[in-house]
Amino acid sequence: MKSVLFVNHTGQKGGAELFLVDLINHAPTNWAACFLSPGPAVDSISKDHECFVLPAESDLLSIKRESSFLLQFLALFSLIKLSWNLSRVCSKYDVICANSQKSLFVAGLASFFSRKPLVWILHDIITDPAFSRLNRKAIIAFTYLFCSKVLANSQASKEAFIASGGQEKKAGIIYNGFYVGEEEEDRALTKTLCPGKVATVGLFSRISHWKGQHVLLAALSQLKDVNAIIVGAPLFGEEAYAEELRDMVDKLQLNDRVQFLGFRNDVKELMKSVDIVVHTSIAAEPFGRVVVEGMISGTPVVATKGGGVTEIIREGETGILVPPNEPDALASAIQTLLNNPDLYGRLSRNGLQEARDTYSINNTLHSFQNVLDTLEN
Protein backbone atom coordinates (compact mmCIF):
# COMPACT_ATOMS: atom_id res chain seq x y z
CA MET A 1 0.00 0.00 0.00
CA LYS A 2 1.50 3.33 -1.09
CA SER A 3 2.52 5.85 1.54
CA VAL A 4 1.25 9.40 1.03
CA LEU A 5 2.32 12.81 2.32
CA PHE A 6 -0.52 15.35 2.22
CA VAL A 7 0.53 19.00 2.10
CA ASN A 8 -1.75 21.87 3.15
CA HIS A 9 -0.81 25.53 3.38
CA THR A 10 -2.79 26.39 6.54
CA GLY A 11 -3.57 24.75 9.83
CA GLN A 12 -6.76 26.77 10.20
CA LYS A 13 -9.95 24.76 9.78
CA GLY A 14 -11.71 25.43 6.49
CA GLY A 15 -13.51 22.98 4.23
CA ALA A 16 -10.30 21.63 2.67
CA GLU A 17 -8.70 21.10 6.07
CA LEU A 18 -11.77 19.31 7.46
CA PHE A 19 -11.67 17.01 4.44
CA LEU A 20 -7.99 16.30 5.08
CA VAL A 21 -8.47 15.58 8.80
CA ASP A 22 -11.35 13.19 8.12
CA LEU A 23 -9.46 11.41 5.35
CA ILE A 24 -6.19 10.88 7.21
CA ASN A 25 -7.81 9.89 10.50
CA HIS A 26 -9.57 7.01 8.74
CA ALA A 27 -6.64 6.12 6.46
CA PRO A 28 -3.72 3.68 6.69
CA THR A 29 -1.07 4.77 9.18
CA ASN A 30 1.50 5.34 6.43
CA TRP A 31 -0.45 8.43 5.30
CA ALA A 32 0.91 11.63 6.85
CA ALA A 33 0.21 15.38 6.88
CA CYS A 34 2.45 18.40 6.45
CA PHE A 35 1.09 21.89 7.17
CA LEU A 36 2.88 25.06 6.09
CA SER A 37 1.51 27.04 9.04
CA PRO A 38 0.16 25.98 12.45
CA GLY A 39 -3.46 25.84 13.56
CA PRO A 40 -6.17 23.63 15.07
CA ALA A 41 -6.24 21.27 12.08
CA VAL A 42 -2.72 20.14 13.00
CA ASP A 43 -3.87 19.04 16.45
CA SER A 44 -6.88 17.23 14.96
CA ILE A 45 -4.75 14.68 13.12
CA SER A 46 -4.74 11.32 14.90
CA LYS A 47 -1.60 10.44 16.86
CA ASP A 48 -1.45 7.25 14.79
CA HIS A 49 -0.32 9.36 11.81
CA GLU A 50 2.77 11.47 11.36
CA CYS A 51 1.90 15.17 11.27
CA PHE A 52 4.27 18.14 11.29
CA VAL A 53 4.54 21.83 10.41
CA LEU A 54 7.10 23.00 7.85
CA PRO A 55 6.75 26.78 8.23
CA ALA A 56 6.39 28.91 5.11
CA GLU A 57 7.67 32.47 4.89
CA SER A 58 5.06 35.19 5.43
CA ASP A 59 5.46 36.56 1.89
CA LEU A 60 4.40 33.19 0.50
CA LEU A 61 1.42 32.71 2.82
CA SER A 62 0.18 36.26 2.21
CA ILE A 63 -0.38 35.71 -1.52
CA LYS A 64 -4.09 35.81 -2.37
CA ARG A 65 -6.03 34.52 -5.38
CA GLU A 66 -6.14 38.04 -6.79
CA SER A 67 -2.50 38.94 -6.01
CA SER A 68 -0.47 40.82 -8.60
CA PHE A 69 2.42 39.45 -10.63
CA LEU A 70 4.86 41.52 -8.57
CA LEU A 71 3.79 39.98 -5.25
CA GLN A 72 3.95 36.49 -6.70
CA PHE A 73 7.38 37.18 -8.21
CA LEU A 74 8.75 38.48 -4.91
CA ALA A 75 7.62 35.26 -3.20
CA LEU A 76 9.40 33.07 -5.75
CA PHE A 77 12.59 32.64 -3.73
CA SER A 78 10.61 31.62 -0.64
CA LEU A 79 8.67 29.14 -2.78
CA ILE A 80 11.81 27.47 -4.13
CA LYS A 81 13.46 27.32 -0.70
CA LEU A 82 10.38 25.78 0.95
CA SER A 83 9.89 23.32 -1.92
CA TRP A 84 13.47 22.14 -1.63
CA ASN A 85 13.08 21.59 2.11
CA LEU A 86 9.83 19.70 1.52
CA SER A 87 11.44 17.53 -1.16
CA ARG A 88 13.96 16.24 1.38
CA VAL A 89 11.06 15.11 3.60
CA CYS A 90 9.28 13.50 0.64
CA SER A 91 11.99 10.92 0.10
CA LYS A 92 10.33 8.42 2.46
CA TYR A 93 6.87 8.66 0.83
CA ASP A 94 5.60 7.15 -2.40
CA VAL A 95 3.21 9.96 -3.34
CA ILE A 96 2.81 13.66 -2.58
CA CYS A 97 -0.72 15.02 -2.37
CA ALA A 98 -1.36 18.78 -2.39
CA ASN A 99 -4.61 19.64 -0.62
CA SER A 100 -4.85 23.37 -1.31
CA GLN A 101 -4.03 25.86 -4.01
CA LYS A 102 -0.95 27.33 -2.34
CA SER A 103 0.33 23.89 -1.46
CA LEU A 104 0.06 22.93 -5.14
CA PHE A 105 2.93 25.27 -5.98
CA VAL A 106 5.11 24.12 -3.09
CA ALA A 107 4.35 20.42 -3.58
CA GLY A 108 4.67 20.76 -7.35
CA LEU A 109 8.30 21.84 -7.15
CA ALA A 110 8.95 19.38 -4.32
CA SER A 111 7.66 16.53 -6.50
CA PHE A 112 10.04 17.64 -9.25
CA PHE A 113 13.01 17.79 -6.89
CA SER A 114 12.19 14.44 -5.25
CA ARG A 115 10.93 12.64 -8.37
CA LYS A 116 7.72 11.64 -6.62
CA PRO A 117 4.28 11.58 -8.30
CA LEU A 118 1.96 14.44 -7.34
CA VAL A 119 -1.81 14.40 -6.85
CA TRP A 120 -3.68 17.66 -6.34
CA ILE A 121 -7.06 17.74 -4.61
CA LEU A 122 -8.93 20.72 -6.05
CA HIS A 123 -11.34 22.36 -3.61
CA ASP A 124 -12.21 25.44 -5.67
CA ILE A 125 -14.13 26.51 -8.75
CA ILE A 126 -11.23 28.26 -10.44
CA THR A 127 -13.38 30.06 -12.99
CA ASP A 128 -14.65 32.15 -10.07
CA PRO A 129 -13.78 35.84 -10.58
CA ALA A 130 -11.90 35.74 -7.28
CA PHE A 131 -9.13 33.92 -9.14
CA SER A 132 -7.03 36.34 -11.15
CA ARG A 133 -6.15 35.47 -14.74
CA LEU A 134 -2.49 35.11 -13.71
CA ASN A 135 -3.44 32.81 -10.86
CA ARG A 136 -5.46 30.52 -13.13
CA LYS A 137 -2.64 30.36 -15.66
CA ALA A 138 -0.16 29.45 -12.93
CA ILE A 139 -2.46 26.72 -11.64
CA ILE A 140 -2.92 25.18 -15.07
CA ALA A 141 0.81 25.36 -15.79
CA PHE A 142 1.74 23.60 -12.56
CA THR A 143 -0.84 20.85 -13.08
CA TYR A 144 0.45 20.35 -16.63
CA LEU A 145 4.08 20.20 -15.56
CA PHE A 146 3.94 18.34 -12.26
CA CYS A 147 0.58 16.66 -11.53
CA SER A 148 -0.17 13.04 -12.28
CA LYS A 149 -3.82 13.50 -11.26
CA VAL A 150 -6.12 16.39 -10.35
CA LEU A 151 -9.00 15.25 -8.15
CA ALA A 152 -11.81 17.80 -7.93
CA ASN A 153 -14.29 17.76 -5.06
CA SER A 154 -17.30 17.96 -7.40
CA GLN A 155 -18.28 17.83 -11.04
CA ALA A 156 -18.62 21.62 -10.95
CA SER A 157 -15.00 22.02 -9.80
CA LYS A 158 -13.79 19.51 -12.39
CA GLU A 159 -15.60 21.28 -15.24
CA ALA A 160 -14.19 24.65 -14.16
CA PHE A 161 -10.67 23.18 -14.15
CA ILE A 162 -11.10 21.85 -17.70
CA ALA A 163 -12.74 25.11 -18.88
CA SER A 164 -9.67 26.99 -17.62
CA GLY A 165 -7.37 24.87 -19.77
CA GLY A 166 -6.73 21.93 -17.47
CA GLN A 167 -6.07 18.52 -19.01
CA GLU A 168 -9.22 16.42 -18.98
CA LYS A 169 -7.24 13.17 -18.97
CA LYS A 170 -5.73 14.11 -15.61
CA ALA A 171 -9.01 15.20 -14.03
CA GLY A 172 -11.13 13.06 -11.72
CA ILE A 173 -13.54 13.52 -8.81
CA ILE A 174 -13.17 12.64 -5.14
CA TYR A 175 -16.06 13.67 -2.92
CA ASN A 176 -15.62 14.68 0.70
CA GLY A 177 -16.10 11.68 2.97
CA PHE A 178 -17.99 11.62 6.28
CA TYR A 179 -18.42 9.13 9.08
CA VAL A 180 -22.04 8.03 9.53
CA GLY A 181 -22.60 6.06 12.73
CA GLU A 182 -25.62 4.29 14.20
CA GLU A 183 -26.43 7.27 16.39
CA GLU A 184 -26.88 9.46 13.30
CA GLU A 185 -29.19 6.90 11.75
CA ASP A 186 -31.32 6.65 14.90
CA ARG A 187 -31.62 10.42 15.09
CA ALA A 188 -32.73 10.79 11.48
CA LEU A 189 -35.36 8.06 11.76
CA THR A 190 -36.95 9.70 14.80
CA LYS A 191 -36.59 13.37 13.81
CA THR A 192 -39.94 15.12 13.92
CA LEU A 193 -41.19 18.66 14.12
CA CYS A 194 -43.14 19.42 17.27
CA PRO A 195 -46.34 21.28 16.35
CA GLY A 196 -46.82 24.74 17.79
CA LYS A 197 -43.25 25.25 19.01
CA VAL A 198 -40.99 28.11 18.00
CA ALA A 199 -38.76 26.62 15.30
CA THR A 200 -35.02 27.19 15.10
CA VAL A 201 -32.95 27.20 11.93
CA GLY A 202 -29.18 26.89 11.95
CA LEU A 203 -26.57 28.34 9.61
CA PHE A 204 -23.12 26.78 9.94
CA SER A 205 -20.27 28.49 8.11
CA ARG A 206 -17.43 30.91 8.57
CA ILE A 207 -18.66 34.50 8.64
CA SER A 208 -18.09 35.75 5.12
CA HIS A 209 -20.15 37.85 2.72
CA TRP A 210 -20.22 35.18 0.02
CA LYS A 211 -21.54 32.67 2.58
CA GLY A 212 -24.68 34.82 2.73
CA GLN A 213 -25.52 35.14 6.42
CA HIS A 214 -27.31 38.41 5.52
CA VAL A 215 -29.70 36.44 3.31
CA LEU A 216 -30.89 34.43 6.30
CA LEU A 217 -31.41 37.59 8.37
CA ALA A 218 -33.50 39.13 5.59
CA ALA A 219 -35.55 35.92 5.33
CA LEU A 220 -36.12 35.81 9.10
CA SER A 221 -37.65 39.27 9.00
CA GLN A 222 -40.46 37.73 6.89
CA LEU A 223 -41.09 34.76 9.21
CA LYS A 224 -42.95 34.50 12.50
CA ASP A 225 -42.09 32.10 15.30
CA VAL A 226 -38.71 31.20 13.75
CA ASN A 227 -35.41 31.77 15.52
CA ALA A 228 -31.88 31.27 14.20
CA ILE A 229 -28.43 30.34 15.40
CA ILE A 230 -25.47 31.45 13.29
CA VAL A 231 -22.41 29.32 13.96
CA GLY A 232 -18.98 30.35 12.71
CA ALA A 233 -16.36 33.05 13.04
CA PRO A 234 -14.95 35.59 10.60
CA LEU A 235 -11.68 34.59 8.96
CA PHE A 236 -9.39 36.20 6.39
CA GLY A 237 -10.31 39.80 7.23
CA GLU A 238 -14.12 39.42 7.33
CA GLU A 239 -14.57 41.15 10.71
CA ALA A 240 -16.22 44.17 9.06
CA TYR A 241 -18.89 41.92 7.55
CA ALA A 242 -19.54 40.37 10.98
CA GLU A 243 -20.24 43.87 12.31
CA GLU A 244 -22.59 44.54 9.40
CA LEU A 245 -24.56 41.44 10.34
CA ARG A 246 -24.95 42.61 13.94
CA ASP A 247 -26.09 46.02 12.72
CA MET A 248 -28.58 44.27 10.43
CA VAL A 249 -29.97 42.31 13.37
CA ASP A 250 -30.53 45.58 15.23
CA LYS A 251 -32.14 47.26 12.24
CA LEU A 252 -34.53 44.37 11.60
CA GLN A 253 -35.28 44.04 15.33
CA LEU A 254 -34.19 40.42 15.44
CA ASN A 255 -32.11 40.63 18.63
CA ASP A 256 -34.35 38.23 20.56
CA ARG A 257 -34.48 35.76 17.65
CA VAL A 258 -30.86 35.48 16.44
CA GLN A 259 -27.84 34.13 18.30
CA PHE A 260 -24.27 34.40 17.04
CA LEU A 261 -22.47 31.43 18.59
CA GLY A 262 -19.05 31.94 17.01
CA PHE A 263 -16.71 29.05 16.27
CA ARG A 264 -17.88 25.81 17.88
CA ASN A 265 -16.51 22.30 18.19
CA ASP A 266 -19.96 20.78 18.75
CA VAL A 267 -21.40 21.46 15.30
CA LYS A 268 -22.78 17.93 14.95
CA GLU A 269 -24.78 18.27 18.15
CA LEU A 270 -26.00 21.75 17.22
CA MET A 271 -27.18 20.52 13.82
CA LYS A 272 -29.20 17.82 15.53
CA SER A 273 -30.72 20.36 17.91
CA VAL A 274 -32.13 22.73 15.27
CA ASP A 275 -35.23 22.10 13.17
CA ILE A 276 -33.76 23.09 9.80
CA VAL A 277 -30.20 23.50 8.53
CA VAL A 278 -29.89 26.34 6.02
CA HIS A 279 -27.13 27.03 3.51
CA THR A 280 -27.13 30.53 2.04
CA SER A 281 -24.01 31.03 -0.10
CA ILE A 282 -24.53 33.66 -2.78
CA ALA A 283 -21.85 32.17 -5.07
CA ALA A 284 -21.50 28.59 -6.28
CA GLU A 285 -19.96 26.25 -3.71
CA PRO A 286 -17.20 23.96 -4.97
CA PHE A 287 -18.73 21.21 -2.82
CA GLY A 288 -20.87 22.07 0.22
CA ARG A 289 -19.72 20.15 3.31
CA VAL A 290 -22.29 21.74 5.58
CA VAL A 291 -25.07 20.42 3.35
CA VAL A 292 -23.92 16.81 3.74
CA GLU A 293 -23.30 17.31 7.46
CA GLY A 294 -26.86 18.56 7.83
CA MET A 295 -28.18 15.51 6.00
CA ILE A 296 -26.14 13.22 8.26
CA SER A 297 -27.60 14.94 11.35
CA GLY A 298 -31.10 13.92 10.27
CA THR A 299 -32.14 17.55 9.97
CA PRO A 300 -33.81 18.73 6.73
CA VAL A 301 -31.65 21.05 4.64
CA VAL A 302 -32.59 24.14 2.64
CA ALA A 303 -29.66 25.14 0.42
CA THR A 304 -28.67 27.53 -2.33
CA LYS A 305 -28.60 26.20 -5.89
CA GLY A 306 -25.29 26.12 -7.72
CA GLY A 307 -21.97 24.31 -7.92
CA GLY A 308 -21.48 21.15 -5.90
CA VAL A 309 -24.62 21.70 -3.81
CA THR A 310 -26.82 20.98 -6.81
CA GLU A 311 -25.00 17.64 -7.17
CA ILE A 312 -25.63 16.78 -3.52
CA ILE A 313 -29.34 17.60 -3.17
CA ARG A 314 -32.17 16.11 -5.17
CA GLU A 315 -34.91 18.72 -5.05
CA GLY A 316 -37.83 17.71 -2.88
CA GLU A 317 -36.27 14.32 -2.10
CA THR A 318 -33.13 14.92 -0.07
CA GLY A 319 -33.49 18.65 0.52
CA ILE A 320 -34.88 21.90 -0.86
CA LEU A 321 -32.95 24.14 -3.26
CA VAL A 322 -33.49 27.91 -3.53
CA PRO A 323 -31.96 30.53 -5.84
CA PRO A 324 -28.91 32.36 -4.45
CA ASN A 325 -29.31 35.71 -2.71
CA GLU A 326 -33.12 35.59 -2.65
CA PRO A 327 -34.44 35.99 0.93
CA ASP A 328 -38.06 35.66 -0.23
CA ALA A 329 -37.39 32.20 -1.69
CA LEU A 330 -35.49 31.13 1.44
CA ALA A 331 -38.30 32.30 3.72
CA SER A 332 -40.87 30.49 1.58
CA ALA A 333 -38.89 27.22 1.65
CA ILE A 334 -38.48 27.37 5.44
CA GLN A 335 -42.20 28.02 5.91
CA THR A 336 -43.10 25.19 3.51
CA LEU A 337 -41.07 22.74 5.57
CA LEU A 338 -42.56 23.93 8.85
CA ASN A 339 -46.09 23.55 7.44
CA ASN A 340 -45.56 20.08 5.97
CA PRO A 341 -44.65 17.31 8.47
CA ASP A 342 -44.68 14.61 5.78
CA LEU A 343 -42.17 16.50 3.63
CA TYR A 344 -40.13 17.25 6.74
CA GLY A 345 -39.85 13.58 7.66
CA ARG A 346 -39.12 12.45 4.10
CA LEU A 347 -36.24 14.89 3.69
CA SER A 348 -34.82 13.84 7.04
CA ARG A 349 -34.78 10.13 6.17
CA ASN A 350 -33.79 10.45 2.51
CA GLY A 351 -31.03 12.95 3.29
CA LEU A 352 -29.34 10.55 5.65
CA GLN A 353 -29.64 7.67 3.18
CA GLU A 354 -28.10 9.76 0.40
CA ALA A 355 -25.23 10.89 2.63
CA ARG A 356 -24.54 7.33 3.78
CA ASP A 357 -24.63 5.88 0.26
CA THR A 358 -22.65 8.55 -1.58
CA TYR A 359 -20.50 10.48 0.89
CA SER A 360 -19.24 7.93 3.39
CA ILE A 361 -15.59 8.15 4.38
CA ASN A 362 -15.09 4.57 3.21
CA ASN A 363 -16.22 5.50 -0.31
CA THR A 364 -13.76 8.40 -0.35
CA LEU A 365 -10.89 6.24 0.85
CA HIS A 366 -11.70 3.58 -1.73
CA SER A 367 -11.75 6.19 -4.54
CA PHE A 368 -8.41 7.61 -3.45
CA GLN A 369 -6.83 4.17 -3.16
CA ASN A 370 -7.91 3.43 -6.74
CA VAL A 371 -6.12 6.58 -7.90
CA LEU A 372 -2.96 5.64 -5.98
CA ASP A 373 -2.94 2.23 -7.66
CA THR A 374 -2.68 3.92 -11.07
CA LEU A 375 0.41 5.96 -10.19
CA GLU A 376 3.92 4.93 -11.08
CA ASN A 377 6.83 5.81 -8.84
Side-chain angles (χ1 to χ4, degrees), residues 111-355:
S111 72
F112 173 75
F113 295 144
S114 63
R115 302 301 182 189
K116 301 289 183 176
L118 174 67
V119 175
W120 180 39
I121 300 178
L122 171 58
H123 294 278
D124 296 297
I125 296 176
I126 63 174
T127 52
D128 188 297
F131 285 86
S132 68
R133 183 168 175 267
L134 175 63
N135 199 291
R136 283 195 294 271
K137 284 185 173 295
I139 287 171
I140 299 305
F142 264 67
T143 60
Y144 180 85
L145 292 171
F146 304 119
C147 282
S148 297
K149 289 290 292 187
V150 175
L151 301 178
N153 62 353
S154 68
Q155 184 66 32
S157 296
K158 176 184 174 182
E159 290 175 354
F161 170 73
I162 295 170
S164 297
Q167 295 169 284
E168 186 172 4
K169 66 180 181 180
K170 289 185 177 182
I173 295 176
I174 183 167
Y175 289 123
N176 283 213
F178 303 81
Y179 173 74
V180 183
E182 292 182 2
E183 66 277 10
E184 280 80 14
E185 296 187 33
D186 293 341
R187 175 67 180 178
L189 292 174
T190 59
K191 182 95 175 183
T192 57
L193 183 66
C194 297
K197 74 168 243 182
V198 175
T200 301
V201 301
L203 175 54
F204 303 84
S205 172
R206 79 171 191 261
I207 302 296
S208 176
H209 184 269
W210 83 272
K211 291 293 187 179
Q213 283 86 359
H214 60 281
V215 180
L216 174 59
L217 298 182
L220 278 179
S221 69
Q222 304 176 36
L223 296 166
K224 295 181 179 179
D225 297 325
V226 178
N227 296 337
I229 60 171
I230 296 177
V231 180
L235 297 175
F236 314 119
E238 294 282 0
E239 290 80 5
Y241 176 65
E243 286 302 315
E244 290 176 17
L245 292 176
R246 295 184 184 279
D247 291 343
M248 189 175 179
V249 167
D250 290 335
K251 183 178 180 181
L252 296 175
Q253 299 181 340
L254 297 173
N255 300 79
D256 59 341
R257 295 169 55 195
V258 176
Q259 295 183 69
F260 291 93
L261 301 187
F263 176 81
R264 297 286 291 257
N265 288 314
D266 58 345
V267 167
K268 289 182 179 180
E269 289 72 21
L270 289 171
M271 282 187 168
K272 295 174 185 177
S273 73
V274 299
D275 299 293
I276 299 172
V277 170
V278 293
H279 163 273
T280 56
S281 294
I282 62 176
E285 289 272 8
F287 179 67
R289 281 187 61 92
V290 71
V291 175
V292 180
E293 290 172 335
M295 293 159 67
I296 292 172
S297 75
T299 304
V301 177
V302 177
T304 298
K305 292 179 182 177
V309 173
T310 309
E311 300 170 38
I312 296 169
I313 286 185
R314 289 181 286 115
E315 172 62 29
E317 291 298 324
T318 60
I320 295 178
L321 293 169
V322 296
N325 208 18
E326 292 194 14
D328 294 351
L330 179 60
S332 177
I334 292 171
Q335 195 64 63
T336 296
L337 261 181
L338 297 179
N339 292 342
N340 193 331
D342 290 339
L343 175 63
Y344 187 95
R346 184 170 76 247
L347 297 188
S348 174
R349 294 186 296 272
N350 290 351
L352 170 67
Q353 185 69 44
E354 182 76 9

